[in-house]
Amino acid sequence: MSSLVIRRYEPGDAPALRAVFVSSVHDLARRDYTPAQLGAWAPREHDAEAWARRLGAIRPFVALVDGVPAGFADVQPDGLLDLFYVAGPHAGRGVGTALMEHLHAEARSGGIGRLWSYVSRTAEPFFARRGFVVESRRVVTVRGVELDHARMGKVL
Ligand SMILES: CC(C)(COP(=O)(O)OP(=O)(O)OC[C@H]1O[C@@H](n2cnc3c(N)ncnc32)[C@H](O)[C@@H]1OP(=O)(O)O)[C@@H](O)C(=O)NCCC(=O)NCCS
């Protein structure tokens, strides 16, 4: 039986969370997006300092399975879930559900009345089953490649 612990981001997590992000996109979202889209979304070459700065700013929660980062997700003061990723080998075992429950509890205790996110086609059913509804759809151009996603929201 493996252990699941959720704790706040620590600065040393940045490289491990990059690996989670890349695995999540390239192993899981490949069902729904082309190789060009995956490469634009999660490039394997990246600016490690900028990544660490971004994580330091949004301060995600990190899910540790047997002490190793398996997923991460954040909630911002305006209810935005900015990043939400589970590594491919850890998917489908409840890590995403545990992170989502943690974000809900965090939001409620912080007086946040509404959660929202830009959600990939891969994650849309997961969010929908947890009460989020599609508010709009849009296409963004990332590193010259078009990516489509849905804006989803949920009143708490
Ligand atoms: C969407 C995502 C975050 C879900 O994370 P996850 O850890 O796989 O989620 P869970 O395992 O909690 O739940 C996924 C499914 O596995 C099933 N599951 C949950 N716990 C389980 C367990 N212990 N054993 C077997 N199956 C389980 C659930 O039934 C769930 O299905 P449901 O959505 O119908 O309820 C993950 O797939 C992901 O990172 N996707 C790619 C990146 C992405 O698109 N991120 C979002 C950007 S907006």
Side-chain angles (χ1 to χ4, degrees), residues 24 28-29 41 84-86 90-97 117-120 122-123 126 129-130:
S24 184
L28 302 177
W41 182 0
F84 200 124
Y85 294 97
V86 174
H90 292 283
R93 295 177 189 179
V95 174
T97 300
S117 187
Y118 290 107
V119 178
S120 71
T122 310
F126 173 86
R129 277 190 285 274
R130 285 153 188 84

Side-chain angles (χ1 to χ4, degrees), residues 1 20-21 23-33 41 70-73 81-88 90-100 117-130 149-150:
M1 192 63 194
V20 168
F21 170 61
S23 164
S24 184
V25 171
H26 289 271
D27 298 347
L28 302 177
R30 65 185 294 176
R31 284 174 274 162
D32 303 296
Y33 294 89
W41 182 0
F72 65 100
L81 312 187
D82 190 0
L83 301 178
F84 200 124
Y85 294 97
V86 174
H90 292 283
R93 295 177 189 179
V95 174
T97 300
L99 279 167
M100 186 62 101
S117 187
Y118 290 107
V119 178
S120 71
R121 254 181 288 135
T122 310
E124 197 177 308
F126 173 86
F127 276 72
R129 277 190 285 274
R130 285 153 188 84
H149 53 199

